[in-house]
Amino acid sequence: MLASLTLRCVVFSPPHFCAPMAGVTHSAFRRLLAEFGGYGGLCTEMLAGLALLGENTRRSPYTRRRPEEGQVVYQLLLRNADRIPEIVARLAPCEPAGLDLNCACPAPDARCQKAGGELFEDPPRLAAILDALRAAWNGPLTVKIRLGKNTPGWEERLADRLRLFEECGVDAVTVHPRFFDEKLKRPARHQLFAWIAGLTRLPVIANGDILGPQTLDANPQPFAPVAALMVGRMAVARPWLFARWNHPGPTPDYGDAWFRLFEYVREDFPDEKALRRVRTFTAYYARNFAFGHRLASAVRSAPDLDSQRERAARFFEADPPLVSAPDFSGVQ
Ligand SMILES: Cc1cc2nc3c(=O)[nH]c(=O)nc-3n(C[C@H](O)[C@H](O)[C@H](O)COP(=O)(O)O)c2cc1C
């Protein structure tokens, strides 16, 4: 892998991205990651295109970008090509480093809208959206995919979509090698990256179960042909992961990072929404600790933000023992 990924003159260095995660990669979380640094690019959570038209994108916690965040790719959840020039124009004040089309998400909301993973299965609609995005946006355009539906012919469909992306002027593709319906507990198929990279001239960004440099050290071969890496849940549990990738350091202050995130969420969101964002972050962060379920459930059941903070303070004061590797199974 090269030391950076350059798409249309935009340099992502190192070629390490934080994945788009709904409910997590909002402005407050990106601010925390930015304080640690070490990544080449961050992603927003998926942003419903038409909803963006009603947002003040400079102020909304989903879209606002602080300068210290560096390169931020804005991920769009679109179901058709309606109003794409306006949607792209809405994001202009945020100066996106790139736009990404979500063709991966299996969540019920995306399904209902026939967007995300469902869009992957509908080439004419997909091409119309990509053509409209390409016409409206000169910067890096990427697509995030899974493997599609696990029915006969999936390999041909995947190869066909990669060709479609090339024809539509896409600059890179992020591959999360699980089938559409598979839960995150099923291991990502890293062994497929080489085959997929061989199918396309587009740079491939590898995603899924990448826990840090140890994943590549343990099994470097599947990652040899990929252009970049994208990490999701492990970056939530360890927001310093990118900073420490090539520069190991002392054990971070886990309590301090939690409280910083808490304050940033409180600053950017109204209370009711902040409460939910703190719960979601904590569900992943708590997996760092041997008895992290106590932190997760105390924060989840707290009726307001002050109680969330008090309960977390009690947990961190007890100097909770860490686990060596967080396990995310069953995180809601
Ligand atoms: C809480 C959560 C929210 C997610 N939201 C999105 C999203 O908005 N867009 C998207 O493309 N993928 C989304 N994903 C999938 C991640 O981007 C990523 O593909 C997946 O977590 C696998 O990577 P990981 O093993 O490094 O976590 C989400 C995953 C999680 C855990």
Side-chain angles (χ1 to χ4, degrees), residues 29-53:
F29 178 69
R30 287 186 265 114
R31 181 177 176 187
L32 180 67
L33 281 188
E35 287 175 351
F36 289 108
Y39 53 80
L42 302 180
C43 294
T44 65
E45 58 194 85
M46 57 185 166
L47 305 165
L50 294 179
L52 275 179
L53 296 174

Side-chain angles (χ1 to χ4, degrees), residues 113-307:
Q113 295 185 41
K114 300 254 172 247
E118 294 285 354
L119 185 59
F120 182 87
E121 305 295 337
D122 188 344
R125 208 156 44 91
L126 178 55
I129 290 174
L130 287 171
D131 285 342
L133 279 171
R134 192 64 291 172
W137 167 249
N138 277 329
L141 176 61
T142 59
V143 181
K144 183 164 178 281
I145 61 170
R146 286 189 171 213
L147 300 172
K149 293 192 174 160
N150 189 6
T151 54
W154 69 267
E155 294 96 332
E156 289 79 14
R157 288 195 297 278
L158 179 59
D160 180 70
R161 295 312 174 271
L162 292 167
R163 274 193 299 277
L164 185 153
F165 298 156
E166 291 177 9
E167 284 159 13
C168 292
V170 167
D171 299 303
V173 60
T174 301
V175 180
H176 173 198
R178 288 186 171 95
F179 287 104
F180 178 64
D181 264 336
E182 285 176 344
K183 304 270 184 249
L184 295 182
K185 67 179 179 227
R186 198 222 177 276
R189 296 172 178 79
H190 293 167
Q191 72 278 10
L192 292 181
F193 287 134
W195 170 68
I196 293 168
L199 291 174
T200 178
R201 59 179 164 72
L202 298 179
V204 170
I205 303 170
N207 169 239
D209 294 343
I210 299 171
L211 310 178
Q214 65 273 27
T215 302
L216 281 79
D217 293 345
N219 192 13
Q221 219 179 342
F223 297 94
V226 308
L229 305 171
M230 179 178 277
V231 182
R233 292 162 294 165
M234 198 53 119
V236 188
R238 299 191 168 164
W240 48 85
L241 175 119
F242 299 108
R244 294 285 168 84
W245 198 285
N246 294 317
H247 306 284
T251 309
D253 184 332
Y254 283 72
D256 175 66
W258 189 94
F259 286 110
R260 273 195 278 156
L261 186 279
F262 175 86
E263 292 305 333
Y264 299 162
V265 169
R266 196 167 206 179
E267 226 177 273
D268 284 5
F269 284 94
D271 283 4
E272 200 43 49
K273 287 188 172 167
L275 198 67
R276 291 206 298 272
R277 297 306 179 288
V278 173
R279 279 182 200 147
T280 305
F281 170 75
T282 307
Y284 290 92
Y285 199 70
R287 295 299 170 110
N288 284 305
F289 307 101
F291 303 104
H293 59 284
R294 292 182 188 157
L295 173 66
S297 74
V299 165
R300 191 171 52 240
S301 60
D304 54 42
L305 288 163
D306 286 339
S307 341

